[in-house]
Amino acid sequence: MIDLDSQRTTWPPALTIGDDGRVLMDGIDLDALAREHGTPLWVVSRSTIEENYNGLVAAFRQRWPRCEVAYSMKANNALAVSRLLARCGAPMDTSSEFEVRMAMDAGVPAGDIIVNGNGKSDSALEQAARIGVRQVNVDSLDEARRLDRIAGELGVRVPCLVRVQLAYERLLEQDPSFESTLRIGEGKFGSNVAGDQAYETIRAVVESAHLDFLGLHHHVGFSGYMGDYTPDREVMHHRECTSELCGIANEARHRFGAAVQRLDLGGGFRGGRSMILSTPGAATDLSVHPLPAARDYADAIFGAIEDDLEADEPPLVQFESGGYMVSNAVVLLATVSEVKDVFTTPARRFVTVDGSMMMFVSRGMMRVGHPVLPARDPFRPPDDIAVELCGQTCVYDSIAEDIRLPAVAAGDVLLVLNQGAYCETESTQFGGFPRPEVVLLSGGAATVIKRRETLADIVERDTIPPELWT
């Protein structure tokens, strides 16, 4: 079981405990905030987002001045979060035509928007070409041909990078467990280099009359979703993928005379000092894992470019990070509705709250865990019983498993940490539960940036045919 002391390294610096035992974020009493706004409630720390972004950019630019870090909106697409990061200087990485529109609603210029994703529709490509985005990361030969046709019809030129699906030979030698991730999660993305598809797509862009070939793209991803995560293995993934992508860039230069001006290496970084990883439904591997420092990522990635890339001039190196900026910047506040002891062997205590794992279904699909602590006096002695923190829905709804907590009662407020990445964006209304309100902490004040859903919101799309009333 994980106790509060062992998980303290997962806390963001903005989270502190006052002399009276109340938990504060950016100096604001979270228990009082929960009672003022109601729960469940997502609380976003502006200072944490700014520190995460500025720290990552500084570490990367110290090692490689020609680089930029875009914000991947899929991690948390609240318009205020996108606007905040745009003000920090981040371009926007979008994964759908809808996120493109959301980025523009957040005041992001089209020239700062990167368009990603597989299977892009003609309408998505037409939108990107028409508004003049920063670049389209072309996913396939078919997409390159369709984008060329659309750009020609509009009479525009579109800057493009080619997304490459690597062979991962050296990576798999060092981490065979990654094969399952390739089969399930990564196989649909990019043009495969092993079957020469990648070079066919590169050729199509280079020879196009309406597309400008600027370079190559590959998204590394986060290796913590696998069962044998270590910080060194995580850094190795980034180093080996960068090295292989450089080799493909060299081959494209030799075959087509195509100069690589940009290398887009995606994201997959996680911010903070450590994080909890555990297998949903098992928790037998529940533990706190240290995370690599930004400098570790920088040395691995830029060292590989220095060693392996043939280039007349250093390329612009791009990143598309979401989790690093926001993962530890958001807390979910929830109120205990019931405490139930089950006298099994060993005994277990089920603490039910008014939130639900359905509000962040990624917990049921990934190994990323969420630290939990009471909003008042969190370090009072814990009860010697395994606690399962769960929601009220009638399916697997385990927010945290096999943890230790002090005694709590109905009406107490609990904090569920590290809720910034892939939580709200994957939330559901399962069981008819309205999705929570979101507030932004900034300058000592809490401002609502997304109102709480109502039952009317949930059913407003529904229509009952008249004959069903007769």
Side-chain angles (χ1 to χ4, degrees):
M1 291 187 291
I2 288 184
D3 58 25
L4 292 176
D5 277 325
S6 63
Q7 71 178 29
R8 195 159 186 174
T9 58
T10 66
W11 295 11
L15 199 72
T16 58
I17 300 176
D19 294 337
D20 58 358
R22 294 177 183 264
V23 181
L24 312 174
M25 194 166 192
D26 285 332
I28 294 179
D29 182 344
L30 294 182
D31 185 77
L33 190 68
R35 299 182 192 282
E36 176 186 355
H37 287 262
T39 57
L41 177 71
W42 272 305
V43 182
V44 183
S45 166
R46 174 177 177 171
S47 68
T48 301
I49 291 175
E50 291 175 332
E51 288 173 13
N52 288 346
Y53 177 78
N54 292 332
L56 185 64
V57 171
F60 281 2
R61 287 184 176 165
Q62 184 177 11
R63 190 66 173 74
W64 191 274
R66 290 205 68 220
C67 71
E68 63 183 21
V69 180
Y71 173 58
S72 185
M73 291 179 65
K74 62 181 179 286
N76 187 312
N77 61 16
L79 295 187
V81 171
S82 298
R83 180 64 188 162
L84 172 60
L85 283 157
R87 283 172 58 93
C88 290
M92 288 295 122
D93 165 43
T94 63
S95 299
S96 71
E97 59 189 294
F98 312 105
E99 282 190 344
V100 172
R101 296 174 197 169
M102 293 175 72
M104 298 184 74
D105 286 344
V108 180
D112 286 340
I113 296 175
I114 297 170
V115 177
N116 254 314
N118 64 300
K120 301 182 190 70
S121 66
D122 279 5
S123 63
L125 296 176
E126 190 273 335
Q127 174 184 254
R130 176 171 42 80
I131 66 175
V133 297
R134 181 164 186 73
Q135 69 199 46
V136 174
N137 290 342
V138 175
D139 196 74
S140 67
L141 178 60
D142 174 74
E143 183 178 302
R145 290 169 174 166
R146 288 187 292 119
L147 182 57
D148 178 51
R149 171 180 54 79
I150 290 168
E153 292 170 354
L154 292 174
V156 299
R157 300 192 66 83
V158 180
C160 296
L161 274 66
V162 172
R163 182 164 185 167
V164 176
Q165 185 184 118
L166 305 179
Y168 301 104
E169 291 178 356
R170 291 200 318 192
L171 191 158
L172 288 169
E173 288 176 1
Q174 300 172 71
D175 184 7
S177 69
F178 188 56
E179 193 276 333
S180 61
T181 300
L182 295 179
R183 185 178 66 253
I184 297 171
E186 294 294 321
K188 68 176 184 177
F189 294 111
S191 294
N192 187 276
V193 68
D196 228 35
Q197 295 171 345
Y199 296 110
E200 292 176 12
T201 306
I202 293 169
R203 179 193 296 275
V205 176
V206 169
E207 296 179 353
S208 165
H210 308 104
L211 308 180
D212 293 326
F213 175 80
L214 296 182
L216 301 178
H217 171 271
H218 176 265
H219 177 66
V220 178
F222 177 59
S223 68
Y225 304 142
M226 294 172 289
D228 48 2
Y229 174 86
T230 68
D232 289 343
R233 184 167 294 172
E234 169 75 358
V235 172
M236 179 274 292
H237 277 232
H238 287 266
R239 181 184 65 248
E240 292 301 338
C241 288
T242 302
S243 177
E244 185 175 351
L245 193 65
C246 288
I248 296 168
N250 296 340
E251 181 65 18
R253 179 179 180 176
H254 297 158
R255 290 194 191 189
F256 315 120
V260 170
Q261 302 172 44
R262 300 179 189 175
L263 276 181
D264 188 337
L265 302 176
F269 314 114
R270 286 296 180 272
R273 291 180 292 167
S274 62
M275 69 188 305
I276 289 177
L277 296 173
S278 69
T279 301
T284 53
D285 55 353
L286 177 68
S287 58
V288 176
H289 291 260
L291 291 167
R295 180 72 189 192
D296 298 330
Y297 287 123
D299 286 341
I301 291 167
F302 299 120
I305 294 174
E306 290 167 342
D307 291 342
D308 299 326
L309 182 66
E310 301 172 9
D312 297 327
E313 296 182 2
L316 173 67
V317 180
Q318 299 173 301
F319 299 94
E320 299 157 354
S321 178
Y324 193 96
M325 279 56 143
V326 298
S327 58
N328 66 345
V330 181
V331 171
L332 177 67
L333 305 183
T335 301
V336 176
S337 56
E338 183 182 65
V339 178
K340 180 191 297 183
D341 285 343
V342 178
F343 297 101
T344 54
T345 303
R348 291 194 297 169
R349 173 171 294 163
F350 288 86
V351 176
T352 303
V353 295
D354 58 358
S356 169
M357 193 195 74
M358 297 300 108
M359 293 168 182
F360 48 101
V361 296
S362 59
R363 173 63 195 130
M365 301 183 292
M366 301 177 182
R367 297 183 61 248
V368 175
H370 300 275
V372 178
L373 65 153
R376 293 188 181 185
D377 300 318
F379 285 106
R380 62 186 187 273
D383 286 349
D384 189 21
I385 185 171
V387 172
E388 310 283 331
L389 186 68
C390 54
Q392 300 173 10
T393 65
C394 59
V395 293
Y396 173 73
D397 195 351
S398 187
I399 296 169
E401 301 165 329
D402 204 31
I403 62 174
R404 297 188 72 188
L405 282 177
V408 295
D412 289 349
V413 175
L414 298 181
L415 281 61
V416 184
L417 305 187
N418 295 346
Q419 282 277 306
Y422 308 102
C423 291
E424 187 194 354
T425 54
E426 297 185 1
S427 62
T428 76
Q429 301 158 327
F430 185 80
F433 282 83
R435 287 175 290 195
E437 182 175 290
V438 186
V439 298
L440 176 69
L441 305 185
S442 177
T447 304
V448 176
I449 60 173
K450 192 173 288 190
R451 68 167 175 81
R452 188 178 306 281
E453 274 188 333
T454 66
L455 183 59
D457 293 323
I458 295 175
V459 301
E460 68 177 354
R461 295 171 54 239
D462 288 66
T463 300
I464 300 177
E467 62 268 21
L468 295 182
W469 292 107
T470 60

